[in-house]
Amino acid sequence: MSASIPNEVVPVLLILIGTIFSFLSAIGLMRLPDVYTRSHAASKSTTIGVLFILVGTFFFFLLEEHYFSIRLFLGIFFVFLTAPVASHVLIRSAYRSKAPLAKESVQDDLKEVLDREDNEPV
């Protein structure tokens, strides 16, 4: 199997970018002040990191092995679909269970909306 340099460079760069995003996400999880900002780091950058890694692996098999991996394609699709939704549900439940905001937070837009919903007659 002889491979040309561009066929090897593209997947490696994509996997490297994904690794950097995942590393920055880990730093964000340690450094950010509250559950909401930590979830932002965990959901957004980790999702992007995993997607870059999976796309890099997908392109490796596509360019080097000439193999279209439906499993990787479905993995990319389901990570892109489910990770943000799961993060949203977890943060919504943390908010409803009264997890405190960081002292640096200046605005709570969801409080007014939930207060209105709670006061509406059924």
Side-chain angles (χ1 to χ4, degrees):
M1 285 191 231
S2 67
S4 63
I5 298 298
N7 285 352
E8 294 174 354
V9 170
V10 170
V12 167
L13 285 178
L14 288 172
I15 292 171
L16 180 66
I17 291 169
T19 305
I20 291 169
F21 269 105
S22 296
F23 178 71
L24 292 175
S25 174
I27 292 172
L29 281 173
M30 291 186 297
R31 302 252 338 181
L32 292 173
D34 64 352
V35 66
Y36 307 106
T37 54
R38 286 179 184 167
S39 173
H40 182 77
S43 66
K44 302 272 193 261
S45 58
T46 303
T47 302
I48 291 172
V50 169
L51 287 176
F52 268 109
I53 291 170
L54 288 175
V55 168
T57 307
F58 179 78
F59 278 138
F60 172 78
F61 283 114
L62 190 63
L63 297 174
E64 290 294 318
E65 305 291 328
H66 304 291
Y67 175 69
F68 182 85
S69 175
I70 191 68
R71 289 181 183 169
L72 279 172
F73 184 74
L74 289 173
I76 292 166
F77 176 73
F78 284 119
V79 165
F80 186 70
L81 184 69
T82 59
V85 173
S87 174
H88 176 77
V89 169
L90 286 171
I91 290 305
R92 182 66 79 116
S93 67
Y95 187 85
R96 286 186 183 260
S97 65
K98 309 275 191 266
L101 293 168
K103 291 179 283 188
E104 296 87 10
S105 298
V106 294
Q107 190 171 354
D108 186 4
D109 291 336
L110 192 56
K111 183 176 182 175
E112 298 169 9
V113 174
L114 290 179
D115 287 343
R116 257 186 281 137
E117 286 179 3
D118 291 340
N119 294 332
E120 287 182 3
V122 176

